[in-house]
Structures are given as C-alpha cells and as structure tokens.
Amino acid sequence: MQKQCNCGEIMNLKLRTVIFSGRVEIDNVPIYTCNACSHSEVIPEVKKDLSGLIQELGACPEKQSYLFNECNEWANILVEYKLTQKTAQSAQYKLEQMVEQRTNDLLDLYLLAQSLQDDAWLESIRKRLQQIGAQMKY
Ligand SMILES: [Zn+2]
C-alpha cells in the first residue's frame, strides 16, 4: 500500500493517532505519510468513516479516546496485518489475502445474522462489508 506524494516521493501507509480538538484521541487511523516532505493524508477508503466519527463528536467533545479499527473494517484489517508482519512464520500473508479472509468471515456472520433475523446485526455487517468493498476497487 503506497501512494506517490505531490513532491514525487513515495508515501508509506502507517497507522497513526489523530487528535481531534485537542481532546479526542483516535488511534489506528490509516494515514499516508511522505518521509521527504512530511506531507500526510488519511487514506481515501476511510475518509468517510473518519469524518462521520468526527461529526458525531461535535464541536466540543469530551476528553476520550477511540480505536478507529473498532469502527472501520479497513483499519481493522491493517491492524491485524501489522500484527502478522511482526511474526516471522506468518510474514507470507498478503494484505489481499487478509481482506479476502475477512470478507469470508463477514459473509459467514451475515448468513448467521440472517438466520437469526437480527436486523441490527445484519445492518452492521453490511456496513462492514461495504467498508472493505470500497477498497476492492483498488
Ligand atoms: Zn512529499
């Protein structure tokens, strides 16, 4: 997962903590960072969810912290991906495989939620699938 910066250098993907209004810490936000010019930007796949979260917090949020990976599938996969990279025996795992694995897991859950006719659960799984679906286009 790399992207070219406006300055011409390659930007790397990192999970960073975003601090909003000086009071709210949002951990594990996937962000592209350029080592050459220090430019950074939130990856497009999670922009909508991140701005949704910030909107929910409002203008004067209370001091609190969030794990972005708990409300965004794409961040979730990246956190797991980072963990697998730390252990040598699973280093062969590719990000694409992890996305596929996660999609399969979610589809299993979806079928389960369907059989239980749990609409709220169905809706949350559907949202998670859409979050990774947006990434599939790349
Ligand atoms: Zn740059």
Side-chain angles (χ1 to χ4, degrees):
M1 288 284 297
Q2 287 178 329
K3 184 181 193 274
Q4 195 170 23
C5 179
N6 291 334
C7 77
E9 292 297 317
I10 297 295
M11 300 171 93
N12 287 309
L13 184 59
K14 288 183 182 152
L15 290 163
R16 307 224 330 220
T17 301
V18 172
I19 297 175
F20 173 65
S21 284
R23 310 178 65 109
V24 181
E25 281 187 20
I26 307 172
D27 285 328
N28 292 328
V29 179
I31 286 177
Y32 283 121
T33 310
C34 174
N35 290 330
C37 72
S38 300
H39 174 71
S40 60
E41 59 186 65
V42 175
I43 71 167
E45 290 86 349
V46 307
K47 243 178 212 169
K48 212 177 115 216
D49 274 3
L50 185 63
S51 57
L53 179 60
I54 285 170
Q55 255 167 23
E56 272 176 39
L57 292 168
C60 307
E62 284 177 34
K63 202 165 163 43
Q64 57 197 304
S65 61
Y66 279 93
L67 288 172
F68 190 58
N69 51 303
E70 283 181 357
C71 59
N72 182 275
E73 273 309 311
W74 189 221
N76 188 29
I77 288 168
L78 285 172
V79 169
E80 282 180 27
Y81 178 67
K82 211 170 82 171
L83 287 175
T84 66
Q85 300 305 293
K86 283 183 185 158
T87 52
Q89 68 267 42
S90 55
Q92 73 270 25
Y93 271 114
K94 292 224 168 67
L95 191 55
E96 291 79 10
Q97 286 175 306
M98 295 200 62
V99 173
E100 201 183 308
Q101 178 62 43
R102 186 66 184 153
T103 306
N104 288 338
D105 288 352
L106 284 170
L107 286 171
D108 285 349
L109 281 180
Y110 193 79
L111 290 176
L112 183 61
Q114 245 175 355
S115 67
L116 295 173
Q117 297 181 319
D118 186 332
D119 285 341
W121 194 18
L122 270 176
E123 186 51 42
S124 93
I125 298 168
R126 195 178 296 134
K127 196 179 151 213
R128 284 169 180 270
L129 279 165
Q130 277 170 355
Q131 286 173 343
I132 345 182
Q135 144 65 19
M136 298 296 200
K137 282 184 269 171
Y138 288 80

